[in-house]
């Protein structure tokens, strides 16, 4: 995302003073911030990495390649290009990795809000396509309820197949691995 710094003095951007890590802002607050961010952004690019790609390449590699792809689309980059957490390697456009970036940078926090709002909206739409998984409630995070549903029904076509979290294993599979079943 490229922020239009000239517009940051505009009244539409005042809510940006409430920026924080997206996980620490309630859904209504994220929606309000999302509108303000869109009003102050020069460009926003969102990339969704399909579950099959993650299964093939791994989550970390997929995340890094997704970030590199977004930075390439945003080229030429802004005066400073900040990335939350990881250096993306020499094939990525010039950038600075900021550990805990959503707590230290308004631009990274803004990108975090955009990503979270779009993910939540996507999960709400997927809830209509896969109503038995209650995506609207947990919006893709592993909760005890979601884990129980996946154990009972099996993964849907949008779940990652390579994700072998213990919470998705049946009681029998847990016992076979030496864990006590719930």
């Amino acid at each position: 995302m490229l922020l239009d710094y000239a517009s940051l003095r505009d009244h539409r951007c005042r809510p940006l003073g409430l920026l924080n890590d997206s996980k620490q802002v309630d859904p209504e607050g994220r929606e309000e911030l999302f509108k303000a961010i869109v009003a102050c952004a020069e460009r926003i690019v969102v990339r969704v990495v399909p579950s099959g790609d993650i299964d093939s390449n791994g989550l970390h590699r997929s995340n890094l390649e997704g970030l590199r792809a977004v930075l390439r689309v945003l080229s030429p980059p802004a005066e400073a290009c900040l990335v939350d957490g990881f250096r993306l390697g020499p094939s990525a456009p010039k950038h600075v990795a900021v550990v805990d970036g959503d707590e230290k940078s308004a631009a990274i926090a803004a990108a975090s809000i955009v990503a979270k709002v779009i993910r939540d909206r996507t999960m709400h739409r997927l809830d209509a396509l896969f109503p038995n998984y209650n995506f609207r409630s947990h919006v893709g995070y592993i909760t005890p309820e979601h884990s129980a549903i996946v154990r009972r029904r099996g993964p849907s076509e949008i779940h990652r197949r390579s994700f072998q979290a213990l919470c998705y294993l049946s009681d029998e599979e847990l016992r076979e691995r030496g864990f006590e079943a719930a």
Side-chain angles (χ1 to χ4, degrees):
M1 171 183 60
L2 293 178
L3 289 175
D4 177 7
Y5 286 97
S7 72
L8 289 178
R9 290 192 169 92
D10 190 337
H11 71 280
R12 294 173 299 161
C13 298
R14 284 196 183 119
L16 293 183
L18 303 173
L19 274 172
N20 198 351
D21 177 346
S22 63
K23 294 177 287 303
Q24 297 178 20
V25 179
D26 65 43
E28 295 78 21
R30 285 194 300 264
E31 285 289 340
E32 183 178 343
L33 283 166
F34 180 83
K35 290 174 191 168
I37 292 163
V38 169
C40 298
E42 184 177 318
R43 278 188 284 169
I44 295 174
V45 176
V46 174
R47 179 169 168 84
V48 175
V49 179
S51 58
D53 289 1
I54 295 169
D55 287 339
S56 296
N57 304 317
L59 180 60
H60 184 67
R61 270 190 175 151
S62 297
N63 283 339
L64 295 180
E65 184 49 44
L67 285 168
R68 284 190 287 266
V70 165
L71 292 186
R72 288 184 199 110
V73 171
L74 289 173
S75 286
E79 292 176 32
C81 183
L82 306 178
V83 177
D84 189 13
F86 300 101
R87 290 207 32 78
L88 304 178
S91 66
K94 186 177 175 184
H95 64 284
V96 175
V98 181
V99 176
D100 297 324
D102 47 9
E103 296 173 10
K104 297 174 181 173
S105 163
I108 292 175
S112 170
I113 294 289
V114 168
K116 178 72 172 123
V117 167
I118 289 174
R119 178 187 168 100
D120 287 356
R121 290 176 179 180
T122 300
M123 296 308 293
H124 290 181
R125 289 183 184 110
L126 288 170
D127 186 68
L129 296 173
F130 302 94
N132 296 318
Y133 289 90
N134 202 11
F135 289 131
R136 177 176 289 282
S137 171
H138 58 74
V139 292
Y141 289 102
I142 297 174
T143 63
E145 175 194 8
H146 179 64
S147 298
I149 291 170
V150 174
R151 282 194 304 271
R152 190 170 56 250
R153 303 189 69 79
S156 73
E157 64 187 67
I158 63 167
H159 281 91
R160 294 181 307 205
R161 296 300 191 256
S162 60
F163 185 62
Q164 294 297 318
L166 294 176
C167 61
Y168 287 168
L169 299 178
S170 69
D171 289 349
E172 181 180 324
E173 291 168 316
L174 285 169
R175 283 190 290 277
E176 287 174 3
R177 293 185 182 201
F179 295 95
E180 189 174 317

